[in-house]
Amino acid sequence: MPFDKDAYRDGYLRPKGKLKLTTLQDDLFDRYAITLPAKDADVAATVNAVRSFWSSQQRGTPLQKYAAMCQAADEELRQQKVAAGPHRGKDMLTAGWWEAKRDEADTAAQNRISELAAILKDSNGAYGVVTRSYLATCAERLALAPAQAEAAAKTVGLEVVDDVDIPDGPPVGRFAALEQDLSVGQVTTVPTLIHPRCAPFRIASRFESPSVPSARLDIAGVRTQELEANRQPNTATWNARRSALNMLRSAAEGGADLHQVALYHLVKSVTGSGVPGTAGIRAALLSRGVEERDANILAVVLADRAATSSGSGVARAEQLLQEGRLREAVSIAQSIPQEGGSDQVKQLLAKIGSAKAQLEVLLAEADALLAVPDEIGSAAKLREAASISAEDAAERMALVPLSPVRELRADVGGGSVRLHWQPNVGHDSDTGYIVVRSAEAPPKTPANGTPLPAPAGTSATDAHAPVARTVHYGVFATTAGRPSSRPVTVDTISLPPVADVRIETGADWVNAHWSAHPDVHHVEATHNDGATATAVPVQLAGAKITGLPEGESVHIELVAVYQGTDGRALRSAPVTITGIPRAAAKPLENLRAQPIAGPSGVQVRLTWTAIDRSEVRLKRNVSASRWISGQLVTAEDMAGWGTDITGQTDVQPGRTVLDASLPPGVHHVVPFSIGGTGIITGRPVSVGVTEPVTGLSATLFQSVARLSWTWPGTSNLAEVGWQRDDAGEDAVGLVKLSRAEYDAKGITVPLGPEPCEISVRALIFVAGRTFASPPVTVTVDRIAATRVDYKVSSSPGIGPIGGRTKRVTVTASGRTGPLKIALIAAPGTFLPATPDAGVTIHEENLTLDAGQFHTFSAKIPPAISKPYWVRCFLISGDAQLHDPLLTTLKEG
Amino acid sequence: MAKSVSACPFCFSRVDTSRLAYQCSGRGTVKTKCEQKEDPMREKHTGSRAPSYPTFMPTEPVGVIACPECGGPAKRRACPVCHTAVPDAFVDNDNPMLGIVGSKGSGKTVLMTVLTKQLRENIGKRFGAAVRFATDNPDGFEGVGQYTKEREDNMFLDGKLPMGTLQNSQERRRPVVLMWQAESQNRFGVRRLKSTALTFIDSAGEDFNKLEDAYALEYLAACDGLTVALDPFELPGARASVTLAAGATGRSAGANPLHVIERITEILRIEHQVKRNRKIKVPLAVVFTKIDAFFPTLSRDNPVMAESASKFAYDNLDGQTVHEHMRTLLHQWGAEEIDLHMRLNYDTYRFFGVSALGAEPIYDEDRVSPGGVRPHRVEDPILWLLAKEGAVKTA
């Protein structure tokens, strides 16, 4: 029984994984790929292999999730051992455990089969058949396989039959008329109409007549019987039969299945007869000529259906009322026998009457509101009515126009008119709009004017609006099945200004050009210098002004003039264009860029000296430009390259300064000079911008400060500088360190007798140059300048006797000020950390020169016995007091 | 050849390093070639199911050794017990094993990660020693690359603190094994290579609290020197002396440092069969982590605050001074029992104060301080132990 991983994955784990089950099924043998009989070794190998395979599934996959469920269940199964019998005490790695499991499963299944057999005998024993679907439902509830359920049916002598496909509704039109004709024609079934001597017949799965084997429910059969009927006298009975046959022939020619028609009619006739119960249905079927076996099948099927159907005619009518289907409810109510009707029927009729009255009121209110006109109110009433009778409401709604649009406005610009509006209540995604233009009068219907192209959404553009006259626009809302809305109108006069305005410049002149609407009468050009306005002669869509000073802005105002229908001049809105007379530009070669600390972070200061009167524009990009200095470029080239640099500009004599806020990173800056003959590039510069470090802090140690900070994302290099106002060799320093060095070793700064100011700058390399961020600084306290050491020696002693006089020798690395040193003694085994941790046995005031020795002695008080420590502390003065070897301070 | 017995850094069995097993190289012969597969012995003794080539004891311990399965050459050496390949330096050598353990929340994982990196990148160079990983799956990661990425890069580059070690009795932890290899000189001036296995197990502290993890017991028993990481925040006196950020405490789940030490003492006494009236010979470095939190309470001339000496030898005087000052700190924190316990039970021990991160992390976000990882004196304990083993000089 070797374990086949592929087969297990494809045959078990993958299908189970796809089911996304939340609990495991009763499939123990499949789950562990166990087939019996097997040997213990095989079982153990297979179970272990399966467990290993579960563990090997890739995390997060459906297979792994299902395998995890298996593993969880496996933990419990591992604990299970066979409780009794020949395999007692066996665990799941043995064949005996699995044989016991198989026996358990078999026994449980057998009990459930017996239980099902008893149920089936009670429910279906009298009819000898059971439907497959009913059996499947029972099997599922009792956790039996279909084969086991069929075995149960067989033990009680039941035949398992397929379900009968009975139409839910009339399979042909005019079924009620057919029903009526059959009734008047005194024929109980469709088969006996077509084949009068076919009873008993089979009808459940297909039509068959043992007595008339050739009988078929088809067009030929109907035609044959029609010929026979046509030969019969003109009586009401035969007329009805002929009519029924005629209807059946038409239906069959139209593709209807006459077996389905016959089955539906038969079922409707027996279930509508008022005969309750399966036995009653069976008897009714037999009485209509249905063969006994099919009568049993149909009775059982109909009983199953009845068990699951929602209820009787009254209940159905009630449900239809609640669903707003008044007409159908009335129809059903009318089919319920009312003689001596029950209370339920009376209540139903009362409800129907009330609903009808309420419907009438709502429809009348809707009509009244429509007359106002208030389409929104009318539609609201009809929606209310729809909750009673959707059909009535829908019929009436088809007469109510949509509500008109809201907030229509017209924007006149260029040569076009743009219309905007808002949808009103009741407008939805199916609502469309029609926009109509009329030069005569406001449109009242969509036919009163020229329709514009279908609008997109709630706006429309009239690109060909007539100019210099009043134009009326009307907007109508439309939808399928309802009249279009009333119009909403707006009037406009279009006076398009000149377009495509551009200006040429020379050293002392400007020349404005434009294009104008074809209907324009003429264009007026005015030179406006702020104080006076002077008319400029216009020639061939151009207006030129000469004799201007170089470098000063010139403003020209252009107005299109139209002639109205009454001959009056109508003037468009003015268009102003500005130009600066300029000579040819020279390339800017002296641009400089440098990061500076701005008021709100890092900025870049760009400085240059103007070399002519051309306009200088600076642009930046992350990549270098392809242009060399002095190259002519088009306006499109300039516009398409990089981003404009803007900022506060300070124009000083001979020098222009622009402080700009640029994002961190590398920037290539190109100066463009815009002159009278075109745009020329200058010498590009590069600049790196990096944010400063943040969170700079210094942790103070004995003689150094260890720095830490947070690096900005744009920099992996920093410059650390420090400065102290003392004469020490290490009083000033500057080091660069990379981020890797910072991570590996960190950085410390030496401390000295004066406060130390430390600054850190983040650095960034661009094109061989280093750019630094603004510095971040921190100031660290001074430490004492002079180091003072001391030694402690004891007077000779033997064991506990003697040695209680301590001689202290103090020396200094440099000249000190006045110092006060205390010698303390602390009983116990712990080094005293502070003077108050022991007893002060001596205080010495002293001043030392470099290399000078100073000695004093003190006796240990008798109260202090070994073990004890002695230690000196600096009580006052400016020095660093260093302990000697600690073993010399300890006694005992 | 003289018998050299060392603890296998993977299964902790004492093995004769001159009588190691051989492992097939996988090169095979023209006819056949061995495939890597799971080795039951490796799984049994180390829990590792990583596939490996067949491992065997040679019948002829001299000459070219051939794999008995494929006939191909077998040159790699392996532990005869757990079949895990050992570094070359392990062969024919005394390989003292130095371990690190700690209580839950003591910052042991952080300490181990920082120390491993420091030893490889800085400390080894300082002492002229080659320090490298000696296992292909340090701390259970699939390869050194993954360990470096997940552990070191996450912390040093991305600033993320590692998650606490989960106690999981079903899954055996894999050690981080570093091989410290340096030249040493004996009293006659003869120089020879000496290697020392530094085996760190990121063992959840609960294991030591409960004394139930056999693997932990084997580990402790095998170590020739031991570093014990303790969380000072679990000492009420220490905790009261500083203002701690939210989330700083409670990570040790009440693992009293004294109890942890007592457990370890108990294990060592049992495993090394030390009588009650004798002291344990195994040198023990008692390391109080997170010492940076106490910098504000220390005077600037306190040696605990001083930077490590950057000498080419272990500075014993500095170590002794720190030891005494740490004892004083214990006294100030009201935790003298720890010192007393150490004095009564160990021949050789020393106290250390270290900080793997150098600054208080952002506990709520499980991130290191924005200034990055700034280790403080993390190497001192291991250098002291190495000095004890003669692997580094003492100044």
Side-chain angles (χ1 to χ4, degrees), chain A residues 701 706 742 783 829 831 885, chain B residues 300 305 307 317 328 371 374:
Chain A
F701 294 99
R706 183 191 291 160
Y742 173 90
I783 57 173
T829 60
L831 175 76
L885 197 61
Chain B
R300 276 166 67 169
M305 289 272 287
E307 298 232 293
L317 186 60
T328 299
R374 311 258 70 82

Side-chain angles (χ1 to χ4, degrees), chain A residues 52 699-702 706-710 742-744 746 748 751 783 829-831 833 869 871 885-886, chain B residues 49 118 122 157 295 300-301 305-307 317 321 324-325 327-328 331-332 336 339 370-371 373-376:
Chain A
S52 176
T699 307
L700 305 185
F701 294 99
Q702 208 162 23
R706 183 191 291 160
L707 304 182
S708 72
W709 63 79
T710 304
Y742 173 90
D743 284 337
T748 56
L751 301 179
I783 57 173
T829 60
F830 295 101
L831 175 76
W869 286 80
R871 193 179 182 196
L885 197 61
L886 291 185
Chain B
R49 293 168 68 181
Q118 286 285 99
N122 295 322
L157 300 183
F295 284 173
R300 276 166 67 169
D301 57 358
M305 289 272 287
E307 298 232 293
L317 186 60
T321 309
E324 288 297 347
H325 280 267
R327 286 183 67 241
T328 299
H331 178 56
Q332 288 173 343
E336 303 93 332
D339 176 57
V373 180
R374 311 258 70 82
H376 180 75

Side-chain angles (χ1 to χ4, degrees), chain A residues 838-877:
Chain A
V839 178
T840 303
I841 57 175
H842 183 83
E843 282 187 350
E844 183 82 359
N845 293 305
L846 68 164
T847 302
L848 293 168
D849 282 325
Q852 178 191 351
F853 289 93
H854 181 93
T855 305
F856 62 87
S857 300
K859 280 194 171 181
I860 304 295
I864 295 177
S865 57
K866 293 179 181 179
Y868 66 87
W869 286 80
V870 293
R871 193 179 182 196
C872 286
F873 289 91
L874 184 66
I875 303 301
S876 65

